[in-house]
Structure formats: C-alpha cells, structure tokens
C-alpha cells in the first residue's frame, strides 16, 4: 500500500459527504473528535444535483433539516433537488465541517492488529482508528441482464443517468419500474413521446403530500417511520426488504395523474429481449426507441477488503450502524439501516448520533495528526 510518510492519521475518517456523512460530522464535531470527511464529488450536494431535472422532495421542508439546522424554506414547501444540494453545502460551511471534496476512496483495509484501518484514495492514504462509511445506497444501478440484448439503436438510460427528454431519441419510451422514480420520469417523457410505464403496482400514499390534511398525517408518518418501523419491531422487519429493495408507494404522482397525462400503465414486468425489443411478461413485444430503467440500485461495497463487514446479499452486517465483528467500523445512511427514516434527510440524524455515541468509549483523539492541515471547512 504505502509508507508512513505520505499517510495522514485521523482518529476518524468519514467516507462520503452526503447528508449521512455531514450528520455524522455534526455529532463528531459536537463530541470534539478529530476527523475528516472525504467526498468524491467536486461539490457537496452533487449526488442531488445530478438527479433528473424537476425532481422535488416528497418530504416537506419541516422534515428535511439535518441536526442543528432547519431547512431554510417554508415548512410546508417541497424543496427542489438543487435547493437540497445547496442546503447540504451551506450546512457543511455553517457547521465548519472538515470536508475534503474531490477525494474518492478506492479501498478500505484493516491495518496492523490494533491500529485501525487504512484508507486509499488514489495516491493518498489515511489511517484511522474508526471509519464511518456513508457512501449512500444509490451507487450501482440495477439493470436486468437482458438489457444487453436490446437493439443498440435503442437509447437506454438508468434513472441515475436520466436528466430530461432531450437525451431521448424520437419515438416511444418504455419506463421500467413503477415506483416513484418511474412515475416521475414517465410524466416528463409523455408530453413528447408515447410512454409505457411497466412494473408491478406499488400502491400509493393515502394523501397527496401537498394536501393540508397531509400536514397532520405527516406527524404520525414521521413518528411511525422513525420510531415504530425499526428493525427492533416486527412491522419494521417486515417492511425492511420492501423499502430497501423494491421501492415504496407512489407519493406525488398518483395512478390518476399518469392516466390523465396519457402514460400507458401496465403491471406487466419487462422480462426479456426478442429481436432486440423488450418483451413484457404478458407476452407483448414493445417497439420502443428508448428505455429508461427505474429499477433501483444495488449496494456497492466492493472496495472494502479483508473485513468481515459485508453480508452475502451485498449489504453491511450492522446493528444500528455498528459492525459487530469489526470494532471501529460503522455505516450510516442506508434505507432501513435501523428504521424507515434512516435514508431520509429528517431521519438520518438519529442514526448518526447513535453511531457517534457508540464510539464514545474509545480513547480520545489519536496523538499523530498531520502537520499541514489542508481540510476545508466549506
Ligand atoms: P448520498 O446522498 O448518495 O451521498 C453519498 C456521498 O458519498 C455522495 O456525495 C458521494 O459522492 C460520496 N461517495 C460515494 N462513494 C464515495 C467514495 N468511494 N469516496 C468518497 N465519497 C464517496 N429523502 C428525503 O428525505 N426526502 C425525499 O423527498 C427524497 N427523495 C428522493 C428522491 C430520489 C429520486 C432519491 C434517489 C432519493 C430520495 N431521498 C429522499 C432519499 C435520500 O435523501 C437520498 O437518497 C440521500 O441522497 C441519501 O444520502 P446519503 O448521504 O446516505 O447518500
């Protein structure tokens, strides 16, 4: 790996400077710990900036604040993705969090016994007694294998690549996956393209997020997702695989909206390719010019080596973010890390605090800290 001379030592390294990493940073700072947050993006908030045009939160601003700083918008408004990105950037600056942008961690290994971890980011190396992984769950697009058998003339985009209809060819669009991403993407493509939205029905929330009644409903909803639907309760354990792996009920775009806009909705799944065209499990072959895969993501922790931290299903072995078999290693920010709110702006703070409190018994900051402090408090 590397010699000591070009290795920086920290008590704690947080990998990922999205909302989860910043929330962890907030509590580390409160606890007076020595730490740095390494963020791959050029700017804090880029994970949000790179999502499709027109994306707005389905959670109102009053529930979108990270610990210590309310979201700066009318409490009942629904921030845009760019407002969220700017909020995260401002949060890091206001809280004076040591975030280093443009540093993508490429590997994490155990160090010598009793000496924590080695973290590689290109030619840079760090050593830390504790590592918190907050790289997000939405990293590796999940696309079915038969996608490679579709005609190369068909434009294929995963929802993480889709921005707006200017990326599409003339002709029909098949949107695969009918949870919130699929429904929202279909609404953007249907004005100029025949649009088929395929995938099992996910149901819908009982109220429109913008409705006045939803303001009351939200109080119960947040109590439920943060306090009741946790991995400590039967209902939480039952909900976890659905929330984590399948996408939830429709929030803002409801079936009636899709129908009114002219989206052709089918509960059939796209299951195969025939003569280069997608085939649904009801036997239909769709002659489309574009496919947008709103089929979710897989966890991506392949850069973690030599640590008994990742289960066979690709998700971390953790209890409320603490990895039982690897002292000093933590995860924060994934759907249902502990509760239904774990991956939401308004829920991640609880998990972050629990993880930092779990570290409290560890010794005070390590003695060796790099001489030239280049961390930026943006
Ligand atoms: P991310 O935001 O993905 O941040 C992870 C960070 O880690 C990124 O900045 C990334 O650049 C960095 N990173 C990744 N790998 C590395 C590496 N190897 N080295 C260094 N840095 C790395 N939540 C709500 O509360 N309300 C909503 O309305 C809402 N709507 C959503 C709509 C969509 C379409 C999606 C996808 C999510 C939505 N969410 C919403 C869920 C949630 O808020 C986001 O998924 C959130 O971005 C998760 O935060 P995170 O910090 O865990 O991960």
């Amino acid at each position: 790996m590397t010699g000591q001379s070009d290795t920086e030592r920290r008590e704690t390294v947080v990998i990922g400077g999205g909302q989860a990493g910043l929330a962890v940073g907030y509590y580390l700072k409160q606890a007076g710990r020595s730490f740095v947050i390494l963020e791959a993006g050029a700017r804090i908030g880029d994970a949000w900036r790179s999502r499709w045009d027109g994306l707005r939160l389905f959670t109102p601003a009053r529930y979108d604040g990270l610990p210590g700083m309310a979201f700066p918008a009318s409490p009942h408004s629904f921030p845009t993705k760019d407002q969220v990105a700017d909020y995260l950037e401002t949060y890091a600056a206001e809280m004076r969090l040591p975030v280093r942008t443009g540093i993508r961690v490429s590997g994490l290994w155990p160090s010598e016994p009793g000496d924590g971890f080695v973290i590689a980011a290109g030619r840079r190396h760090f050593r830390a007694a504790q590592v918190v992984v907050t790289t997000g769950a939405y990293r590796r697009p999940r696309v079915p294998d038969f996608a490679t058998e579709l005609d190369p003339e068909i434009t294929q985009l995963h929802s993480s690549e889709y921005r707006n209809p200017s990326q599409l060819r003339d002709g029909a669009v098949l949107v695969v996956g009918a949870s919130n991403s699929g429904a929202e993407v279909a609404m953007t493509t249907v004005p100029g393209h025949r649009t088929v939205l395929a995938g099992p029905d996910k149901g819908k929330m009982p109220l429109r997020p913008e409705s006045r009644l939803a303001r009351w409903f939200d109080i119960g909803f947040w109590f439920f997702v943060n306090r009741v639907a946790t991995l400590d309760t039967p209902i939480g354990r039952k909900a976890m695989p659905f929330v984590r792996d399948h996408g939830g009920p429709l929030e803002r775009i409801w079936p009636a909206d899709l129908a009114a806009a002219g989206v052709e909705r089918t509960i059939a799944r796209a299951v195969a390719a025939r003569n280069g065209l997608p085939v649904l499990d009801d036997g239909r072959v769709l002659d489309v010019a574009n496919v947008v895969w709103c089929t979710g993501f897989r966890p991506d922790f392949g850069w973690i080596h030599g640590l008994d931290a990742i289960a066979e299903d690709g998700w971390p072995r953790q209890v409320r973010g603490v990895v039982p078999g690897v002292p000093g290693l933590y995860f924060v920010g994934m759907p249902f890390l502990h509760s239904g709110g774990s991956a939401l702006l308004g829920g991640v703070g609880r998990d972050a605090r629990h993880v930092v409190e779990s570290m409290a018994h560890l010794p005070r900051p390590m003695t060796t800290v790099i001489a030239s402090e280049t961390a930026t408090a943006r």
Side-chain angles (χ1 to χ4, degrees):
M1 277 171 266
T2 184
Q4 286 286 97
S5 56
D6 56 355
T7 298
E8 297 183 18
R9 274 185 185 264
R10 295 286 159 165
E11 182 191 36
T12 302
V13 168
V14 181
I15 305 174
Q19 66 206 34
L22 299 182
V24 170
Y26 173 86
Y27 287 111
L28 286 171
K29 185 126 191 164
Q30 297 260 311
R33 319 298 300 201
S34 152
F35 69 100
V36 65
I37 302 173
L38 305 179
E39 164 54 39
R43 280 176 75 186
I44 295 168
D46 278 354
W48 281 98
R49 286 188 193 90
S50 64
R51 289 175 180 154
W52 65 84
D53 299 351
L55 173 64
R56 301 180 82 85
L57 294 186
F58 60 84
T59 51
R62 80 183 273 207
Y63 297 109
D64 296 331
L66 294 179
M69 185 173 151
F71 199 99
S74 161
H76 301 300
S77 65
F78 294 85
T80 66
K81 67 179 181 109
D82 292 336
Q83 286 174 316
V84 179
D86 292 346
Y87 166 72
L88 296 181
E89 205 169 27
T90 307
Y91 182 86
E94 293 278 317
M95 302 299 168
R96 302 195 61 74
L97 300 179
V99 182
R100 293 204 206 164
T101 54
I103 300 188
R104 175 174 295 282
V105 169
S106 48
L108 169 67
W109 294 267
S111 187
E112 290 84 34
D115 195 25
F117 305 91
V118 176
I119 300 118
R123 294 204 319 271
R124 291 186 176 90
H125 289 80
F126 299 80
R127 276 175 194 258
Q130 295 158 157
V131 169
V132 190
V133 178
T134 59
T135 49
Y138 303 119
R139 301 252 70 86
R140 191 152 62 100
R142 179 170 28 202
V143 174
D145 291 344
F146 71 83
T148 57
E149 298 166 36
L150 294 181
D151 188 330
E153 292 292 301
I154 294 178
T155 296
Q156 294 189 55
L157 296 164
H158 185 263
S159 61
S160 57
E161 303 163 307
Y162 178 77
R163 301 284 169 277
N164 56 56
S166 72
Q167 295 166 285
L168 303 176
R169 303 163 64 89
D170 287 344
V173 182
L174 170 63
V175 180
V176 182
S179 190
N180 287 291
S181 301
E184 295 207 15
V185 167
M187 290 296 274
T188 71
T189 62
V190 75
H193 302 260
R194 177 190 162 212
T195 297
V196 179
L197 173 60
D201 185 15
K202 305 286 180 183
K204 65 177 176 63
M205 294 298 276
L207 294 167
R208 301 258 184 197
E210 291 88 354
S211 70
R212 283 191 163 267
L213 253 186
R215 297 180 186 181
W216 295 102
F217 172 80
D218 279 347
I219 296 169
F221 172 78
W222 280 92
F223 182 79
F224 179 79
V225 295
N226 282 327
R227 308 278 173 167
V228 180
T230 76
L231 294 183
D232 294 334
T233 65
I235 194 167
R237 288 192 291 274
K238 195 166 174 202
M240 186 267 259
F242 291 97
V243 173
R244 199 178 67 175
D245 300 323
H246 298 293
L250 296 178
E251 303 270 355
R252 176 169 291 114
I253 308 293
W254 283 11
D257 304 319
L258 295 164
V263 173
E264 295 170 41
R265 179 74 181 92
T266 171
I267 57 166
R269 296 168 190 270
V271 287
R274 190 179 308 150
N275 300 326
L277 294 173
V279 183
L280 303 183
D281 65 3
D282 61 7
R284 275 185 291 160
V285 179
L286 296 182
D287 186 6
V288 295
N290 308 277
V291 178
V292 185
W293 300 104
C294 296
T295 37
F297 296 81
R298 292 181 201 286
D300 183 15
F301 299 110
W303 47 276
I304 297 179
H305 308 284
L307 295 164
D308 184 22
I310 308 300
E312 291 69 35
D313 62 4
W315 293 96
R317 299 183 207 281
Q318 54 82 31
V319 180
R320 288 202 77 175
V322 179
V323 180
V326 186
L329 183 62
Y330 307 89
F331 289 82
V332 175
M334 286 161 294
F336 256 102
L337 184 96
H338 176 63
S339 74
S342 288
L344 300 178
L345 283 151
V348 70
R350 284 187 78 222
D351 291 344
R353 189 174 65 192
H354 176 81
V355 157
V356 172
E357 284 173 357
S358 303
M359 299 171 173
H361 66 282
L362 288 168
R364 294 295 298 167
M366 294 164 77
T367 45
T368 325
V369 176
I370 53 161
S372 60
E373 174 55 83
T374 53
T376 49
R378 297 167 50 110

